Amino acid sequence: MPVQAPLRANPARKRARLRRGLVGWAFLAPLLILNVLVVLGPSLATVYYSFTDWSGIGPANFTGFANYTHAFTDPAVREALLHNAIWFVLFLTVPMVIGLLGAHLLNQVRRFQMLFRALFFIPYITASVVNAAVWKMLMSPDSGIGHLLGTDHAWLGDPATSLYSVNFVVDWHWWGFLAVIFFAAMQGVDPQLYDAAKVDGANGWQQFKSVTLPGIRPTMVFIVLMTIIWSLKAFDYIYIMTHGGPAHSSDVVSTLMYDEAFNQYSAGYAAALGLSMTVVTGVVLAVYQFLRRRGWEE
């Protein structure tokens, strides 16, 4: 039996499909225009101004790679990067360990789970401005917790403790969110694996190490990625509580960038710092995608 040639599409059907496509793009157009104006436009402007000597006001003088060369030799940038590294180590380890412990303990609770989850989540959903302002008062040497306990140490005013004090507040804000995320991941672990581990004589720690952690590994990998990115763009708590001081002892790259742009009037240099951090973030994402394709999450 001869095979019939495929029927040509009905012209009316083509026009209807084209009309539907145009209607869809018409609805998307306002969002696309907004993204071009708010995201793409400033991004391209940042790339341009990073190659200029610009105060933020008036014309910009093209200087090539002078801003990037200066950044590589600037002691303030090296100090800020060191603070970023310290911040990253603390922000990655402390909240994750406490979050895993909290999730594991919450997983053992059979009553009032929703209450504990809500209590864990409250610091995270509270505005960072509110959290930072409250903790700044609590750490005050004149009226804070230390003053009530008989010590007048200025935790935020001492260069040796300012960065760690702010990081403590951020860890307190962050760990409850991680606990809830890890708890949700633990709910997806097959209970039969725990039964098999008990039959083999595994104790509680061995079950956690051999069953729970492998079961929530994809969630942990994703949290590590997000923690790296958020540690690179840490700004709000540091700016509100210390403004990067005293004596730049709590400065990270983002607060240094803000200071260069709005206090030192070196907007071109600040743009170069911001673009450099964007490149670092892009490298982190690329490494994550590479490892994910290699089955790192499995």
Side-chain angles (χ1 to χ4, degrees):
M1 182 176 181
V3 179
Q4 294 182 353
L7 296 177
R8 294 185 178 181
N10 191 336
R13 188 177 302 174
K14 284 186 177 181
R15 288 194 297 269
R17 188 182 302 115
L18 177 62
R19 190 180 304 112
R20 287 196 299 270
L22 292 176
V23 170
W25 280 108
F27 278 104
L28 283 175
L31 182 61
L32 293 176
I33 294 173
L34 181 64
N35 274 273
V36 169
L37 294 176
V38 177
V39 178
L40 182 60
S43 298
L44 295 177
T46 299
V47 174
Y48 168 73
Y49 285 121
S50 69
F51 295 100
T52 66
D53 179 14
W54 186 47
S55 65
I57 303 173
N61 300 317
F62 186 80
T63 58
F65 290 92
N67 288 326
Y68 296 95
T69 304
H70 177 51
F72 277 107
T73 59
D74 190 352
V77 174
R78 289 199 294 267
E79 184 180 13
L81 285 173
L82 175 61
H83 294 163
N84 267 110
I86 295 173
W87 186 278
F88 162 69
V89 172
L90 294 175
F91 190 51
L92 178 64
T93 56
V94 177
M96 183 163 291
V97 170
I98 301 177
L100 281 171
L101 177 61
H104 178 66
L105 295 177
L106 186 60
N107 201 30
Q108 314 303 315
V109 176
R110 293 295 174 261
R111 300 179 62 185
F112 306 114
Q113 274 191 0
M114 289 301 298
L115 174 62
F116 285 114
R117 290 165 68 177
L119 291 176
F120 288 171
F121 216 69
I122 286 176
Y124 178 74
I125 62 176
T126 305
S128 58
V129 175
V130 176
N131 284 334
V134 170
W135 276 101
K136 188 175 182 179
M137 291 187 292
L138 291 175
M139 292 183 176
S140 170
D142 301 323
S143 58
I145 297 176
H147 179 74
L148 296 177
L149 297 177
T151 174
D152 296 332
H153 183 74
W155 297 99
L156 297 175
D158 185 351
T161 59
S162 59
L163 180 67
Y164 301 99
S165 299
V166 180
N167 186 266
F168 167 80
V169 177
V170 176
D171 292 346
W172 167 85
H173 150 85
W174 182 236
W175 81 267
F177 171 76
L178 296 187
V180 174
I181 296 298
F182 287 142
F183 173 75
M186 290 177 185
Q187 299 297 295
V189 179
D190 190 351
Q192 294 182 359
L193 297 177
Y194 291 102
D195 295 336
K198 291 177 183 177
V199 171
D200 291 338
N203 56 30
W205 165 247
Q206 291 171 332
Q207 293 177 39
F208 179 77
K209 183 179 66 173
S210 303
V211 178
T212 304
L213 290 182
I216 65 172
R217 185 174 178 179
T219 302
M220 292 184 64
V221 171
F222 175 75
I223 290 297
V224 168
L225 170 70
M226 298 308 298
T227 301
I228 294 173
I229 295 175
W230 283 324
S231 65
L232 290 174
K233 65 186 189 71
F235 176 80
D236 48 358
Y237 280 89
I238 299 174
Y239 180 77
I240 295 169
M241 298 182 71
T242 65
H243 289 272
H248 301 286
S249 60
S250 60
D251 251 338
V252 292
V253 174
S254 58
T255 55
L256 177 64
M257 184 172 59
Y258 180 90
D259 180 67
E260 290 289 342
F262 297 103
N263 295 330
Q264 307 300 325
Y265 300 104
S266 298
Y269 185 48
L273 293 178
L275 192 61
S276 300
M277 296 305 291
T278 301
V279 172
V280 172
T281 305
V283 171
V284 171
L285 290 174
V287 171
Y288 169 75
Q289 290 295 337
F290 173 77
L291 293 175
R292 186 178 183 183
R293 290 176 182 175
R294 296 290 297 270
W296 191 43
E297 291 184 348
E298 301 300 330

